[in-house]
Amino acid sequence: MNITRENIDELNAIVKVDIAKEDYSGKVDKILKDYRKNANIPGFRKGHVPMGMVKKQYGKAVLVDEVNKLLQEGLNNYLKEEKLDVLGNPLPKEQENFDWDKDNYTFEFELGLSPEFNVDLDVKEPITHYNIVADDEMVDNQIKNMQKQYGKLVSKEKAEEGDIVAGTFKNEEEGIENSTSVELEKIKGKENLDKFLGAKAGDTISLNTKDLFEDDHDLIQHLKIEHDKAHDLDIEVEFTVSEVNQQELADLDQELFDKLFGKDEVKTVTELKEKIKEDAAKQFQQQSDQQLMNDVTEALIENTKFELPKEFLQKWIQTVGEEPMTEEEAAEEYEKSEKGLRYQLIEGKVMKDNGLEINFEDLKAFAIDKIKVQMAQFGQMDPSEKELDDIAARILSNQDEAKRLSEQVMNEKLLEFYKENMNFNEKEVTYDEFVKEIYE
């Protein structure tokens, strides 16, 4: 077998593979002899079928199979030995009138080569690193929710502001009939609220769904309608009251603190507020880091310029799906995936140039941390080392799960690297300010 390469340009090459008869004939003959030993053909004893008949019946299929095996093995070894960094997979060039009856064969493959480039971490536009904090309003709302959760409902005759009114929403035409409990503080507008005030069990209230609640998600929940329908829904509904309750909040005392955080972990309202801020900061950190990673990704793509073998990749995309694509479909798919491919190459370059890699101990430690968090949610606060090791071993024996965890570990390593080696504008914001800046 002889393999040669012709570089078309820096991003494209043609590999030619020449396979001679002596490369495959020995293997083909051996397989056909084995076929002959085991062939059951009427009129012949087992093992005594003429070789000419075996070759006529099986020879071409065996030949094609063995040549293809040699071809794939040789091509793969060549790419490794030459240390060629290819994109996608080699694409066989079509050959007209290919003749399997010849003794020697030549195959050609198109290659798309990965570009050479450097990654400059000194990006043009400064990137903001958000430090999201819980403001006093958020802390106070969280405390109130805790008091509601551990408080109690007291039945009353007439509804007043702040009460919870249970009942059933109905609209026969739209097929709506759902029993629910409505917190009056979530009703939007004085006109809507006034319809509930003074209501008693058995009363029926007529309401319009447009702007009925401060949040469309409440409309979805209370009417049991589809998400896409909620925003523009403008219909009349009837709400029949079944009961009225007043929410009595739990006292902010040691009994509540112990229920929330364990015995004597929190002893005062001040400590409660600090604990809430601390827990919120941990939750916000994930969102802050994710946004930072998104922004770094966009900045590095913008800052790192290189060409890609576009035509080759579009041809390759046509072949990799379950169903073949047209040229137009492949071009459209390439446009969608180009940015992701660019960052994948940039990420690989950063990892290679800076020795960022994952070893088994990194992966195992990460898996164990995840396991501890999950077990704590079910009250298992102090699992044994053996128990953790056994669970981690089971998880990592699953290739798909191990790959998913590896990607998470690598993302953490990359994020830490970016934090240490790139300059950011640090900005402290409340959660509402963060949402407004990022999403609005």
Side-chain angles (χ1 to χ4, degrees), residues 157-158 195-205 239-242:
E157 186 177 348
K158 293 182 179 181
K195 292 181 180 180
F196 282 92
L197 299 181
K200 306 184 297 294
D203 288 353
T204 297
I205 305 168
F239 182 79
T240 301
V241 179
S242 58

Side-chain angles (χ1 to χ4, degrees), residues 5 37 44 91 103 127 153 182 199 242 282 322 375 409:
R5 181 175 83 249
K37 290 178 185 177
F44 298 94
L91 289 177
D103 290 335
I127 299 172
L153 294 177
V182 178
S242 58
K282 291 178 183 177
E322 292 183 4
M375 294 180 78
V409 174

Side-chain angles (χ1 to χ4, degrees), residues 176-285:
I176 294 171
E177 183 172 353
N178 187 55
S179 296
T180 186
S181 293
V182 178
E183 296 179 50
L184 295 190
E185 63 183 24
K186 293 185 178 181
I187 295 295
K188 185 176 182 179
K190 185 175 183 305
E191 183 178 346
N192 287 325
L193 179 60
D194 285 345
K195 292 181 180 180
F196 282 92
L197 299 181
K200 306 184 297 294
D203 288 353
T204 297
I205 305 168
S206 293
L207 300 158
N208 189 283
T209 56
K210 187 70 174 174
D211 295 326
L212 179 56
F213 293 97
E214 294 286 352
D215 189 336
D216 283 343
H217 289 90
D218 288 323
L219 191 67
I220 295 168
Q221 175 189 339
H222 291 307
L223 270 63
K224 285 292 183 286
I225 56 175
E226 295 177 1
H227 186 279
D228 294 341
K229 198 174 180 181
H231 183 67
D232 297 318
L233 189 64
D234 187 359
I235 61 171
E236 294 294 322
V237 292
E238 289 187 343
F239 182 79
T240 301
V241 179
S242 58
E243 61 178 300
V244 178
N245 293 295
Q246 180 181 9
Q247 174 77 63
E248 280 195 2
L249 302 180
D251 292 331
L252 290 173
D253 56 17
Q254 194 62 47
E255 181 182 357
L256 178 61
F257 301 156
D258 290 346
K259 286 179 181 177
L260 292 168
F261 302 106
K263 186 167 177 58
D264 294 334
E265 288 294 318
V266 170
K267 295 183 178 180
T268 66
V269 173
T270 300
E271 289 181 8
L272 173 64
K273 290 183 176 182
E274 288 303 315
K275 179 68 173 173
I276 292 172
K277 287 183 178 181
E278 181 184 316
D279 290 346
K282 291 178 183 177
Q283 294 177 11
F284 293 151
Q285 184 66 46

